[in-house]
């Protein structure tokens, strides 16, 4: 009976602890998943909200801007800054979008301040208008919206926290087009977002393959490690696939890429570099499999015929040339060389079993936090510089108004004396 009671107590205790263990397991997984995101200190809004700014009535500012435009006069960048800074709701975000567009198409369009752009994205995130932030970013020429990397990071991070990897990649694509991969934090966040989205196995159109490839390439080139090289390998292959099926002109259209044909040869160059490396660089098996599948698919008769059909269509638009035909003829050589290099990598133990998603996650977990302090310190300096510049603009505005009032008074006095 005593033995039975002990067993009964142990069973009850085990059932009681099971949910705790399960919860702890999921909590640990959640913590690991969120470790690769930006820290609370990075995304903290306290510094931004405590900066110097002037409370304004948006209705009055809107009336002022409308009257100024009606008189065919330019609205000042200071007025535009005040409008964006004083947004208090989602509806006012939409109003601000309209005036940003108007300002961009005015004589003062070149003077949209950096802090106004940053404030615009802050306001969009604060008032749940992230779609507006992305829309103006994608239509940056129409709105004059060219954010810095710190601002890009905040927007990417907001999508990642919601596990909206497609949205995060849409922002990364804009980072790529702006060639803004100087910050290690931006590089790691971008590689993480791209790998997460690719892990969902999306059905990418050829334009999306090119854009994803270009983003992976520019971000991966900044990382001298297995993650960066695996990203480069996949990037060159994705772009190479577009080159083989659409021609080199389709690759470079509106893309910040070097005008050099032979992207699959550059994939092989990445493999050769890892083979000759004396360190611990390795390439992801998943990426190697993906490149192999692309080469085999492009070499198949059905794909070759489809490529010839596309080439015939594109030749009428003069977008194909002899170099494209010569490049396609090299596919068998590329496939054979790929297989040779892969065997060398395997023999040297330089094939990484982890996929690109795991590599990018691991990189972010290990290195992202260490890079944040430099970004935060630079951001704090930038906010101080912005505040100083804002004070100068306000002082200049006061001086100009005083001068205008004096000139007006002088004119009135002259008229009275006549």
């Amino acid at each position: 009976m005593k033995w039975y009671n002990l067993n009964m107590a142990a069973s009850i205790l085990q059932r009681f602890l099971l949910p705790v263990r399960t919860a702890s397991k999921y909590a640990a997984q959640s913590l690991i998943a969120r470790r690769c995101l930006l820290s609370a200190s990075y995304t903290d809004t306290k510094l931004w909200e405590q900066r110097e700014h002037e409370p304004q009535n948006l209705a009055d500012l809107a009336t002022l801007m409308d009257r100024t435009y009606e008189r065919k006069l330019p609205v000042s960048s200071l007025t535009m800054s005040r409008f964006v800074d004083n947004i208090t709701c989602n509806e006012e975000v939409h109003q601000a979008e309209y005036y940003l567009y108007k300002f961009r198409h005015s004589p003062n369009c070149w003077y949209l301040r950096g802090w106004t752009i940053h404030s615009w994205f802050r306001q969009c995130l604060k008032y749940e208008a992230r779609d507006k932030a992305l829309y103006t970013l994608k239509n940056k020429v129409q709105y004059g919206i060219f954010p810095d990397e710190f601002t890009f990071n905040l927007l990417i991070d907001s999508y990642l926290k919601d596990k909206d990897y497609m949205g995060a990649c849409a922002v990364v694509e804009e980072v790529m087009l702006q060639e803004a991969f100087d910050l290690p934090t931006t590089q790691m966040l971008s590689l993480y977002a791209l790998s997460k989205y690719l892990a969902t196995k999306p059905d990418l159109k050829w334009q999306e393959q090119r854009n994803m490839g270009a983003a992976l390439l520019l971000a991966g080139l900044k990382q001298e490690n297995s993650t960066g090289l695996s990203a480069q390998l996949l990037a060159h292959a994705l772009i190479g696939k577009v080159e083989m099926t659409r021609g080199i002109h389709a690759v470079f259209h509106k893309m910040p890429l070097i005008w050099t044909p032979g992207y699959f040869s550059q994939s092989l160059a990445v493999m050769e570099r890892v083979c000759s490396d004396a360190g611990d660089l390795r390439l992801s098996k998943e990426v190697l499999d993906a490149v192999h599948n692309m080469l085999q698919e492009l070499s198949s008769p059905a794909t070759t015929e489809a490529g010839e059909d596309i080439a015939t269509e594109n030749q009428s638009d003069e977008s194909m040339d002899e170099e494209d035909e010569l490049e396609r003829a090299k596919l068998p050589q590329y496939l054979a060389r790929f297989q040779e290099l892969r065997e060398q990598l395997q023999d040297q133990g330089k094939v990484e079993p982890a996929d690109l998603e795991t590599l990018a996650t691991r990189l972010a977990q290990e290195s992202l936090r260490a890079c944040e302090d430099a970004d935060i310190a630079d951001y704090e300096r930038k906010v101080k510089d912005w505040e100083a510049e804002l004070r100068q603009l306000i002082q200049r505005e006061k001086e100009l108004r005083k001068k205008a009032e004096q000139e007006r008074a002088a004119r009135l006095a002259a008229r009275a004396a006549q």
Side-chain angles (χ1 to χ4, degrees):
M1 189 69 179
K2 183 178 179 181
W3 173 83
Y4 175 79
N5 290 337
L6 286 173
N7 275 332
M8 190 70 169
S11 176
I12 293 171
L13 181 61
Q14 188 175 22
R15 277 180 289 174
F16 174 77
L17 290 176
L18 182 61
V20 177
R21 289 172 183 168
T22 305
S24 299
K25 176 183 176 183
Y26 287 120
Q29 290 175 345
S30 176
L31 181 60
I32 291 171
R34 293 183 68 83
R35 255 182 222 153
C36 56
L37 304 176
L38 295 175
S39 66
S41 58
Y42 198 104
T43 58
D44 187 24
T45 62
K46 185 184 296 183
L47 175 66
W48 181 249
E49 291 177 348
Q50 288 180 347
R51 79 197 189 287
E52 295 180 21
H53 68 281
E54 304 169 286
Q56 299 282 331
N57 184 293
L58 288 195
D60 293 341
L61 286 176
T63 301
L64 172 63
M65 287 192 285
D66 290 339
R67 288 177 179 173
T68 305
Y69 285 130
E70 286 172 4
R71 294 166 61 191
K72 307 297 182 182
L73 295 174
V75 166
S76 72
S77 63
L78 189 54
T79 302
M80 192 68 248
S81 172
R82 286 166 175 156
F83 195 96
V84 173
D85 280 345
N86 284 277
I87 291 172
T88 58
C89 64
N90 183 275
E91 183 180 345
E92 291 172 353
V93 170
H94 292 259
Q95 288 180 285
E97 180 203 350
Y98 167 76
Y99 287 110
L100 282 168
Y101 181 88
K102 290 280 288 184
F103 187 86
R104 178 62 171 174
H105 293 80
S106 73
N108 270 5
C109 63
W110 300 109
Y111 299 102
L112 186 65
R113 305 294 168 174
W115 69 79
T116 305
I117 295 172
H118 181 73
S119 182
W120 164 248
F121 285 100
R122 287 274 194 187
Q123 300 287 46
C124 287
L125 293 176
K126 183 177 181 179
Y127 296 108
E128 300 182 352
R130 194 169 57 192
D131 58 329
K132 283 296 177 188
L134 185 57
Y135 180 79
T136 54
L137 184 60
K138 283 187 167 295
N139 294 278
K140 51 192 172 292
V141 175
Q142 296 298 321
Y143 289 92
I145 299 296
F146 297 89
D148 58 22
E149 287 170 277
F150 189 91
T151 310
F152 270 129
N153 286 352
L154 295 179
L155 190 55
I156 295 171
D157 180 73
S158 72
Y159 279 104
L160 291 179
K161 283 180 177 175
D162 290 342
K163 297 185 179 180
D164 183 353
Y165 303 125
M166 181 184 291
C169 286
V171 181
V172 173
E173 183 180 322
E174 296 303 318
V175 178
M176 175 270 293
L177 292 172
Q178 196 168 309
E179 299 182 73
F181 285 112
D182 290 333
L183 293 184
T185 47
T186 309
Q187 299 157 21
M188 286 182 275
L189 282 172
S190 297
L191 289 172
Y192 178 83
L194 292 165
S195 67
K196 279 288 186 181
Y197 182 54
L198 288 172
T200 65
K201 307 296 182 184
D203 184 16
L204 300 175
K205 298 178 181 178
W206 71 266
Q207 296 95 333
E208 294 168 331
Q209 290 177 1
R210 177 196 60 191
N211 296 351
M212 292 284 287
L216 275 171
L217 179 59
L218 295 187
L221 283 170
K222 301 284 187 175
Q223 291 289 323
E224 290 293 320
N225 48 47
S226 298
T227 307
L229 286 165
S230 295
Q232 291 177 45
L233 176 61
L234 181 58
H236 283 129
L238 286 169
I239 300 171
K241 185 177 180 181
V242 175
E243 181 185 4
M244 291 291 182
T245 56
R246 296 282 170 173
I248 196 68
H249 293 277
V251 168
F252 294 115
H253 183 62
K254 296 182 179 180
M255 285 286 109
L257 296 170
I258 299 173
W259 192 286
T260 305
Y263 271 86
F264 271 113
S265 67
Q266 294 180 53
S267 283
L268 298 177
V270 173
M271 296 175 70
E272 289 170 354
R273 178 186 169 187
V274 176
C275 283
S276 61
D277 177 70
D280 58 353
L281 292 178
R282 296 193 291 180
L283 292 173
S284 167
K285 179 181 181 301
E286 177 208 38
V287 172
L288 289 167
D289 289 343
V291 176
H292 183 244
N293 291 339
M294 280 188 243
L295 285 168
Q296 282 194 320
E297 180 186 347
L298 290 167
S299 302
S300 68
T303 304
T304 303
E305 291 175 6
E308 290 173 355
D309 292 339
I310 293 171
T312 303
E313 294 174 6
N314 290 344
Q315 279 174 351
S316 62
D317 298 330
E318 300 182 353
S319 61
M320 303 290 287
D321 53 33
E322 293 182 4
E323 283 188 349
D324 296 322
E325 298 298 333
L326 292 172
E327 189 62 27
R328 270 193 288 270
K330 295 177 182 177
L331 270 171
Q333 301 172 33
Y334 288 153
L335 182 57
R337 182 58 177 158
F338 173 87
Q339 292 170 338
E340 291 175 7
L341 290 170
R342 183 165 189 173
E343 288 179 5
Q344 290 182 33
L345 289 169
Q346 289 173 336
D347 292 341
Q348 297 174 15
K350 293 187 175 181
V351 175
E352 169 62 54
D355 56 23
L356 183 60
E357 179 188 8
T358 302
L359 288 175
T361 302
R362 187 186 302 162
L363 176 65
Q365 289 174 350
E366 295 174 352
S367 306
L368 190 62
R369 292 290 184 270
C371 300
E372 286 189 349
D373 290 343
D375 287 10
I376 295 171
D378 183 65
Y379 176 64
E380 289 172 352
R381 287 191 295 269
K382 185 175 288 186
V383 171
K384 289 180 181 178
D385 292 341
W386 283 341
E387 287 180 324
E389 189 178 352
L390 177 60
R391 285 193 294 269
Q392 290 177 0
L393 288 177
I394 293 172
Q395 181 61 32
R396 185 182 175 189
E397 181 187 60
K398 289 178 180 177
E399 292 171 357
L400 290 173
R401 282 180 178 174
K402 184 178 180 180
K403 183 180 178 181
E405 289 173 1
Q406 290 173 346
E407 291 175 352
R408 181 172 176 274
R411 287 195 301 270
L412 291 174
R415 288 177 188 174
Q418 290 177 356

